[in-house]
Amino acid sequence: MEVFKTVLKNREYVAKKLDQKYGNLRVRMSCPICGLADKNSVNNEYEENTITFYCPEHGKYSVNVNKGISKLEYNSPLRNLIRGMSYTATNHSENYNYEILRITGSDYAGFYQEELRYKVASYLGCNVSEMSMIFYAPLVLDWSGAKLLKSLYVKEGAYQDIPKKFINYSFLKADLSYKGLDILYDIVINWINNPYMLFRHYSIYYFMEEFEKYE
Ligand SMILES: [Zn+2]
């Protein structure tokens, strides 16, 4: 909650950095009557600890962040920032005897974090050299080097040359039962045992070859 209040106090800066398209602080809450939410936070109004939202059907509704913060939702960059700063606070608090480590896909590494997390968190007074750690998981790529996307497969009929079991788990299960997961586990545990294999990406064709070895 303290993190979000800091964000609120600096909302003009945060909005400009994290929402270059609309310049809004991308916080939303769905209408308590119909569930509709202003996704781009266009009609939000802010007072010190209160945010007022607007539903075209039911008018204005408000939340006091001291009581209703759990009702709020954020777009990805704002959620990423708030999580990062909250994890950092937890990691440095004596009330917790554990540390939070975030695991996310490598497509969120690099420029995204530098511009949308570290620079903004630093501006908001967070000591970024002590910030919570992010581990970036390897990506599975297609022939062109783009991330393999199930939605592309479903919508565009892409990846015709790739056996279905490498795209959709239900086919893998039908073909190999749980042995498919065992093989996947063996492949990945090998990366963890050989960390130089962990900090890179893999093409889907790599999995096709590995599976042939294990099958
Ligand atoms: Zn409504």
Side-chain angles (χ1 to χ4, degrees), residues 31-36 55-59 61:
C31 168
I33 301 168
C34 69
L36 204 69
C55 169
E57 194 73 24
H58 303 103
Y61 54 99

Side-chain angles (χ1 to χ4, degrees), residues 158-169:
Y159 314 138
Q160 299 286 357
D161 60 323
I162 300 168
K164 283 196 176 91
K165 68 178 171 187
F166 292 105
I167 292 169
N168 186 326
Y169 176 63

Side-chain angles (χ1 to χ4, degrees), residues 138-189:
L139 298 180
V140 181
L141 309 176
D142 69 12
W143 64 272
S144 75
K147 186 167 91 162
L148 201 72
L149 284 177
K150 196 173 169 201
S151 57
L152 251 185
Y153 166 74
V154 174
K155 263 191 251 155
E156 321 278 340
Y159 314 138
Q160 299 286 357
D161 60 323
I162 300 168
K164 283 196 176 91
K165 68 178 171 187
F166 292 105
I167 292 169
N168 186 326
Y169 176 63
S170 58
F171 289 101
L172 182 70
K173 199 176 162 192
D175 190 9
L176 293 170
S177 182
Y178 290 110
K179 198 181 168 213
L181 286 182
D182 287 339
I183 295 173
L184 210 50
Y185 178 82
D186 287 341
I187 293 171
V188 171
I189 206 76

Side-chain angles (χ1 to χ4, degrees), residues 102-118:
R102 171 121 186 261
I103 299 177
T104 193
S106 291
D107 44 345
Y108 281 98
F111 185 78
Y112 184 94
Q113 301 299 351
E114 281 167 35
E115 286 300 312
L116 305 182
R117 173 178 151 120
Y118 294 108

Side-chain angles (χ1 to χ4, degrees), residues 27-62:
V27 55
R28 54 199 177 236
M29 180 180 137
S30 54
C31 168
I33 301 168
C34 69
L36 204 69
D38 179 0
K39 195 175 171 219
N40 297 325
S41 314
V42 177
N43 293 308
N44 293 3
E45 291 168 18
Y46 301 90
E47 279 164 76
E48 201 183 344
N49 285 321
T50 304
I51 310 174
T52 301
F53 304 92
Y54 177 76
C55 169
E57 194 73 24
H58 303 103
K60 291 181 177 181
Y61 54 99
S62 300

Side-chain angles (χ1 to χ4, degrees), residues 67-83:
K67 293 179 202 144
I69 193 165
S70 61
K71 292 180 189 154
L72 298 178
E73 288 170 28
Y74 317 95
N75 76 336
S76 303
L78 185 57
R79 194 166 54 239
N80 181 53
L81 174 75
I82 290 171
R83 270 188 186 165

